[in-house]
Amino acid sequence: PTAVGSGFVWDEAHVVTNFHVVRDVARDELMLIFSDTGTSPGTDTPRRDVFRGELVGADPATDTAVVRIAPAPGQEPRLQIRPLARGASTPLEVGQTVYAIGNPFGLEHSMSRGIVSGISRTLDIGERPIRGCIQTDASINPGNSGGPLLDSAGRVVGVNTAILSNSGMSAGVGLAVPIDTVSRQVEEILRKGFVS
């Protein structure tokens, strides 16, 4: 089965996503698709670049993964790939507006708006509970995992990770791993290839 998830550009060479998005993807099948809202000349199709991805490392305990953008020899990007600005998750307050970006059900360029519904939530989906998660009512569905949760200034404050739902579809309770946690893990993965 094909896994579809989201991610965001961390720096000129890396994308951050959730570990559960890439965990079961074969090494030679990890693909990164970059697209923008413009169209290719003479068509109605969005401009897009497709690159192979290489898993640099992951931290299952925080559901964080770092993927290297690996263009094929001679492949030149047609789109400008820019890292997203990162904010901080510690100053978030309940009621603050946030935006979930991703590919729910494979629908590219999707954004939903909501609020921070709660802070310091615990998510128990992996090796150990992830503490300090951000609860939001911004619509998060399958395919949003790994995408950024942005504040109203467009800064990443969390990584969309899970929904709490009996049906598996958005029920207005989504959880994001705080960017403060993700940043620590990503920097360690970039330095060592793993989290100790």
Side-chain angles (χ1 to χ4, degrees):
T2 301
V4 176
S6 302
F8 61 96
V9 177
W10 186 263
D11 60 28
E12 295 75 20
H14 300 96
V15 168
V16 169
T17 188
N18 287 137
F19 174 64
H20 78 262
V21 170
V22 298
R23 174 183 49 222
D24 297 324
V25 177
R27 206 176 183 104
D28 60 340
E29 293 180 6
L30 182 55
M31 304 300 289
L32 302 172
I33 301 171
F34 297 91
S35 57
D36 70 13
T37 55
T39 57
S40 297
T43 72
D44 288 337
T45 58
R47 291 183 296 227
R48 57 187 350 191
D49 279 329
V50 179
F51 296 109
R52 204 168 59 77
E54 295 174 351
L55 184 62
V56 175
D59 178 32
T62 59
D63 201 21
T64 303
V66 178
V67 178
R68 181 179 296 110
I69 303 166
Q75 182 182 16
E76 291 294 324
R78 293 173 294 169
L79 303 175
Q80 187 174 11
I81 299 172
R82 289 184 294 244
L84 286 179
R86 293 185 291 277
S89 45
T90 47
L92 289 176
E93 295 182 3
V94 172
Q96 186 173 338
T97 301
V98 289
Y99 302 87
I101 308 291
N103 301 300
F105 306 107
L107 299 170
E108 297 176 2
H109 299 111
S110 294
M111 177 178 75
S112 61
R113 180 180 60 152
I115 62 167
V116 172
S117 308
I119 52 176
S120 297
R121 301 295 191 226
T122 299
L123 175 60
D124 193 3
I125 62 167
E127 292 181 1
R128 62 180 184 196
I130 304 171
R131 302 192 192 292
C133 288
I134 303 160
Q135 178 185 335
T136 181
D137 68 350
S139 185
I140 296 175
N141 286 291
N144 278 109
S145 290
L149 184 69
L150 307 175
D151 65 13
S152 57
R155 297 172 301 216
V156 181
V157 293
V159 179
N160 302 321
T161 302
I163 54 175
L164 301 181
S165 167
N166 292 330
S167 68
M169 302 302 156
S170 179
V173 182
L175 295 173
V177 178
I179 195 64
D180 298 349
T181 300
V182 171
S183 292
R184 285 190 300 272
Q185 308 311 56
V186 168
E187 294 306 323
E188 192 166 351
I189 290 168
L190 289 174
R191 266 194 323 276
K192 302 189 303 190
F194 61 93
V195 173
S196 49

